Amino acid sequence: MSCGISAKRSLPSNPGALIFLAFLLIALLSPYLAPHDPWKRYEPYLGPSRDHPLGTNDMGNDILSELMFGSRVSLGVGLGAAIIATLMGTIIGASAGYFRGWMDEVLMGITDIFLMIPQIPLVIVVAAFLKPSAIMITLIMGLLWWTSLARIVRSRVLQVREMAFVEAAKVIGFPDRHIILTDVLPNTIHVIMPKFMLTVASAMIAEASLSFLGLGDPNAKSWGMMINFAFSRGGFLNGCWWWYMPPGICITLSVLSLVSMSMLLEESREDEHVAS
Amino acid sequence: MNLARYVISLFVILSLNFAIPRAMPGDTMTNLLGEDVILSDDLVQEIRREMGLDLPLREQYIIYWKEILRMNLGYSYHFHSPVLPLVLERMKWTLLLAAPPVIIGALLGTLLGALAGWRDSPSTRLQTFIFLTIYSTPPYFLALLSLYIFGFHLGWVPMKGFYSTGSAGNIIHHIMLPVILMSLFSASRNYMIMRGSVIQERRSLYALYARAKGLYDSQILFRHLFRNAILPIITLIALDFGFIFSGALFIEMVFSMHGMGNLIYSALMYRDYPVLQGSFLIITIMVITANMIADALYGLLDPRVRGR
């Protein structure tokens, strides 16, 4: 498969990939990297100083430490939701595209209906009924956001299933499950990956938006929750930029890195397409 | 065929609306009335009977549909008003906020996106970066920042929303910044897609042929590529309508504007479930309608679809 080669060559040098890797490392290593316990209270409303590089909030929590631990929640929710959504979208899209017939009709009919429901309002309604927790939010988003991926996977699988090696595998008599897993999906992965990254990105933005509505997990301080606290507890009006700017910048930067990686993969795929 | 799809969607969504309060944890009546309501035990029994909650689910479902057909979406005890007129009154203002950005964003995004996809230069690369950054920022965060800068520090725009009593000039003064922000968001999405779309079309044979024929660059772009590249955008604008609308909700909350966003925000504060569900229902119906219109438009613009 030459599909991934040009992308692999350029991905490590892409600033987006580097930034995202850095965020991942911070999330994994936050207990070792963070200068303070994010729940411990110091003097409130402190500006940036040597001891507290990003100052403290109204509760006196160290903001840099909050930021580092927050990356775990924000990235965790984003990645978790995207993994669930991608698995569902891939299974549904691949089954619809591979088996065709009534299965295609039914699965795509369901997809079309879900595609039309405005996601954020539905998530708001469902989340309002449930007790907010990070896992719950991940699940809700993951179970709702597979629709566009299912469509993309299906149209790719429709192409792949007509290719000679798939027909060969059918003639040899391999079971369908085997063909899908070893022949069809490996040739679909390059359309799944860019979409996966976009899903992580939009799940992160959605998590931040839900937190802003007070539907986030109050026990897990995500970046969105930090902005929410800064907004509702007067961080903006008191001009504590060190309080609300860092979480906002972190969200934008990590989403930006994901979107640019996704774009790079898409474009290298298209170059490949033209070259062949 | 397509109409059937929309009717089925609507049916499924209305059924979902029936199922959600009954499937969620907690007492169904609380889920239907909202947690802001405090009632005596006698009254609870009476309302339970009145709402038919002691009936089997199948009968409740039939009653639910009868009420829907009578345009009854329930009563909000928090706002002391039936849900439907409450939501529709707010909807006007949200549409006023959301409609101009859909159009401005479509024009700005497709035009700049087409140019950026056509020619790669430092200025288009900068443009792409700017739109990418806007695309990557949660709408409410950008709204908070600009409210802080332009409202609080510079005093160019008012700090608080607009109300139905204001004069036209007053409303424009209040709605200016939110509309600009929403247009940027809408433009950023259309920009990214149009750019990708033109990059793809640029490599097709008919573009090469047009060049071989000796057409000018701008002629190739606007007479040939644009027409094909714009097609995915039309469906997208419709699908995006839901997104734009959600964005408008958050921007309304930040700017304390009189619209759906603040209605949903206070409904969330008081766990006023009927209003939440009613809002969701109306928003969904609007999005479905937008999709239907887009479908019809698509048919008008794309002769391949028109023939079918």
Side-chain angles (χ1 to χ4, degrees):
Chain A
M1 299 306 118
S2 59
C3 301
I5 288 178
S6 57
K8 263 177 215 144
R9 208 183 297 137
S10 50
L11 205 52
S13 59
N14 176 24
L18 292 177
I19 293 172
F20 190 70
L21 199 68
F23 274 119
L24 266 184
L25 281 177
I26 291 173
L28 286 175
L29 301 175
S30 51
Y32 307 103
L33 291 174
H36 301 279
D37 175 355
W39 295 95
K40 203 171 167 196
R41 298 175 71 163
Y42 301 90
E43 198 181 323
Y45 298 116
L46 282 181
S49 65
R50 184 188 289 267
D51 201 25
H52 301 284
L54 290 173
T56 59
N57 65 11
D58 63 325
M59 304 289 281
N61 302 134
D62 179 64
I63 287 171
L64 181 63
S65 311
E66 271 194 322
L67 209 59
M68 287 180 163
F69 276 92
S71 66
R72 297 187 142 195
V73 189
S74 297
L75 289 178
V77 171
L79 285 171
I83 288 170
I84 299 173
T86 304
L87 279 178
M88 283 188 67
T90 306
I91 293 170
I92 291 174
S95 325
Y98 185 81
F99 294 109
R100 311 271 299 270
W102 63 269
M103 199 155 184
D104 192 17
E105 295 275 325
V106 171
L107 288 177
M108 284 303 113
I110 296 172
T111 307
D112 277 349
I113 291 168
F114 270 90
L115 202 59
M116 244 186 290
I117 302 177
Q119 314 266 11
I120 298 279
L122 181 58
V123 174
I124 292 176
V125 170
V126 177
F129 279 111
L130 300 166
K131 217 174 82 198
S133 78
I135 292 175
M136 197 57 92
I137 291 167
T138 311
L139 272 178
I140 300 175
M141 291 197 298
L143 293 178
L144 289 174
W145 284 6
W146 47 268
T147 47
S148 50
L149 182 78
R151 279 220 147 273
I152 295 171
V153 169
R154 172 184 172 267
S155 53
R156 175 65 189 163
V157 169
L158 280 180
Q159 288 173 0
V160 174
R161 79 189 290 276
E162 303 299 332
M163 290 179 184
F165 59 90
V166 175
E167 277 185 24
K170 273 187 197 160
V171 171
I172 296 172
F174 281 127
D176 287 332
R177 207 174 62 103
H178 179 84
I179 299 176
I180 293 179
L181 288 179
T182 56
D183 296 318
V184 176
L185 282 186
N187 285 293
T188 317
I189 198 83
H190 61 276
V191 300
I192 298 177
M193 276 321 283
K195 188 65 195 168
F196 171 75
M197 289 169 182
L198 281 187
T199 312
V200 180
S202 58
M204 285 181 68
I205 290 193
E207 187 275 336
S209 307
L210 284 182
S211 301
F212 179 69
L213 293 180
L215 292 173
D217 189 338
N219 297 316
K221 281 190 267 191
S222 67
W223 291 335
M225 217 56 187
M226 289 173 72
I227 302 177
N228 174 31
F229 285 150
F231 179 62
S232 58
R233 298 196 202 140
F236 275 86
L237 295 181
N238 293 324
C240 304
W241 56 267
W242 60 86
W243 185 3
Y244 59 81
M245 281 307 282
I249 292 173
C250 280
I251 295 173
T252 305
L253 257 185
S254 45
V255 171
L256 194 62
S257 68
L258 283 161
V259 175
S260 71
M261 275 195 289
S262 160
M263 269 172 69
L264 190 77
L265 287 182
E266 286 273 6
E267 272 163 29
S268 63
R269 190 183 95 220
E270 267 152 26
D271 288 338
E272 197 69 37
H273 208 68
V274 169
S276 58
Chain B
M1 176 53 213
N2 260 331
L3 194 66
R5 214 182 79 199
Y6 292 118
V7 173
I8 295 172
S9 299
L10 203 59
F11 176 78
V12 170
I13 287 154
L14 282 164
S15 301
L16 205 65
N17 201 45
F18 169 81
I20 287 174
R22 287 165 177 84
M24 290 295 153
D27 180 34
T28 305
M29 198 179 84
T30 316
N31 286 353
L32 283 171
L33 291 184
E35 275 170 27
D36 192 31
V37 187
I38 300 156
L39 300 166
S40 69
D41 285 351
D42 291 347
L43 212 54
V44 167
Q45 293 306 324
E46 201 187 309
I47 294 177
R48 202 178 285 273
R49 213 171 18 252
E50 218 172 84
M51 294 173 67
L53 288 179
D54 41 5
L55 298 172
L57 271 181
R58 198 167 49 86
E59 280 172 49
Q60 286 187 37
Y61 188 59
I62 294 168
I63 296 174
Y64 169 80
W65 270 103
K66 279 186 185 153
E67 291 302 316
I68 290 286
L69 292 178
R70 283 168 51 199
M71 309 276 278
N72 179 8
L73 294 183
Y75 186 85
S76 162
Y77 283 84
H78 176 68
F79 289 98
H80 298 289
S81 155
V83 170
L84 189 63
L86 187 70
V87 172
L88 287 183
E89 202 271 325
R90 298 293 190 103
M91 181 58 102
K92 281 190 313 212
W93 294 102
T94 307
L95 276 182
L96 185 65
L97 170 65
V102 170
I103 298 163
I104 300 171
L107 291 176
L108 198 72
T110 47
L111 216 67
L112 292 179
L115 290 171
W118 182 238
R119 279 277 168 269
D120 198 30
S121 73
S123 74
T124 56
R125 236 171 281 158
L126 178 71
Q127 226 176 62
T128 306
F129 180 74
I130 292 172
F131 274 116
L132 206 60
T133 310
I134 295 172
Y135 181 89
S136 303
T137 311
Y140 74 90
F141 185 66
L142 203 63
L144 278 172
L145 277 187
S146 42
L147 179 65
Y148 181 65
I149 295 169
F150 298 111
F152 189 66
H153 268 297
L154 299 174
W156 291 355
V157 294
M159 288 294 283
K160 223 171 164 308
F162 63 101
Y163 291 98
S164 39
T165 47
S167 65
N170 185 283
I171 290 175
I172 290 173
H173 182 51
H174 279 86
I175 208 174
M176 198 64 161
L177 185 58
V179 164
I180 292 174
L181 283 174
M182 296 277 307
S183 306
L184 283 176
F185 270 106
S186 160
S188 73
R189 292 173 76 88
N190 293 324
Y191 178 92
M192 303 308 301
I193 288 147
M194 192 64 185
R195 181 175 164 274
S197 194
V198 166
I199 287 178
Q200 242 175 24
E201 295 286 337
R202 193 176 67 186
R203 291 160 173 166
S204 55
L205 286 177
Y206 74 87
L208 193 68
Y209 175 66
R211 168 147 309 157
K213 217 165 65 170
L215 289 188
Y216 290 114
D217 260 9
S218 60
Q219 283 176 318
I220 304 176
L221 176 58
F222 286 105
R223 275 205 211 147
H224 297 280
L225 294 191
F226 200 79
R227 281 185 152 182
N228 285 306
I230 196 86
L231 289 173
I233 291 272
I234 294 168
T235 351
L236 215 106
I237 290 172
L239 276 179
D240 240 29
F241 193 75
F243 171 84
I244 299 289
F245 212 90
S246 316
L249 300 182
F250 284 95
I251 288 193
E252 278 178 347
M253 291 172 202
V254 171
F255 285 87
S256 332
M257 291 162 77
H258 186 73
M260 294 282 291
N262 262 326
L263 184 70
I264 290 177
Y265 194 68
S266 41
L268 274 175
M269 294 284 267
Y270 298 100
R271 288 291 186 266
D272 187 341
Y273 300 124
V275 168
L276 270 183
Q277 284 199 279
S279 308
F280 165 67
L281 208 58
I282 300 291
I283 292 173
T284 309
I285 290 173
M286 303 229 11
V287 171
I288 292 180
T289 317
N291 275 290
M292 279 172 74
I293 295 171
D295 252 4
L297 265 182
Y298 202 91
L300 282 178
L301 286 175
D302 189 348
R304 286 168 300 186
V305 177
R306 193 166 51 203
R308 251 177 250 161

